[in-house]
Amino acid sequence: MLAIVNIGDVVKAHYHSGTYIGVAKEDRGDYYLIEVLAVYKHPLQGDLHNPGEVENVFFHERKALAHHEKMNVKKPAVHPYVEAVPSYGDSLKQAVLQYKEKLSNQDSAFNKLALERLHGLEINYYEKIYN
């Protein structure tokens, strides 16, 4: 059963291995157009088709969607969000921290490489946004 979402509602939406808080801008049939307000869960690093693998795969570095970036999200992946919406910078920092903590819990080649990719994203992109 689909959650009831109206245009203008604040929602939580899962998109390309990340989860975002945003506002529903348009109903596009099977999709909603969502404008990103905050990051709830950082996108996964690595090859989604070969999780945990580092050899003989293309290890993707995935950035979180930007503040106010828009995404087309299938309706079943969109749910009402009733909590206070955090600032984009604070939410991004928290999502990265949570992902890094999860990766640090197990010592593996995959987790090390994913942590390296996250560190690179922080240095090259995110540190400007955090503050």
Side-chain angles (χ1 to χ4, degrees):
M1 185 164 132
L2 290 176
I4 297 175
V5 173
N6 297 306
I7 302 309
D9 285 356
V10 175
V11 296
K12 182 169 75 169
H14 183 73
Y15 182 77
H16 290 197
S17 82
T19 305
Y20 301 89
I21 301 165
V23 62
K25 301 299 270 183
E26 292 179 21
D27 184 331
R28 294 185 167 180
D30 291 338
Y31 296 82
Y32 287 114
L33 179 67
I34 306 294
E35 180 180 352
V36 174
L37 300 177
V39 180
Y40 189 84
K41 177 184 166 281
H42 193 279
L44 301 175
Q45 303 303 296
D47 185 338
L48 298 180
H49 302 289
N50 297 289
E53 298 295 320
V54 294
E55 294 191 27
N56 302 318
V57 298
F58 182 73
F59 199 93
H60 297 268
E61 175 185 88
R62 289 184 186 80
K63 292 192 302 186
L65 295 179
H67 193 216
H68 299 295
E69 188 169 350
K70 293 177 181 66
M71 56 186 170
N72 281 308
V73 184
K74 290 186 177 191
K75 286 184 174 178
V78 177
H79 305 281
Y81 185 80
V82 295
E83 298 173 38
V85 178
S87 74
Y88 180 84
D90 288 345
S91 70
L92 176 62
K93 189 174 190 175
Q94 185 62 34
V96 170
L97 178 64
Q98 287 174 345
Y99 191 25
K100 285 167 53 174
E101 286 176 5
K102 180 180 177 186
L103 292 169
S104 297
N105 286 336
Q106 182 181 356
D107 187 24
S108 69
F110 177 87
N111 287 5
K112 286 179 184 177
L113 190 51
L115 283 166
E116 285 178 26
R117 293 295 195 272
L118 281 175
H119 182 69
L121 288 171
E122 285 188 295
I123 297 299
N124 295 313
Y125 303 102
Y126 296 163
E127 285 182 348
K128 301 173 207 108
I129 299 168
Y130 288 166
N131 300 321

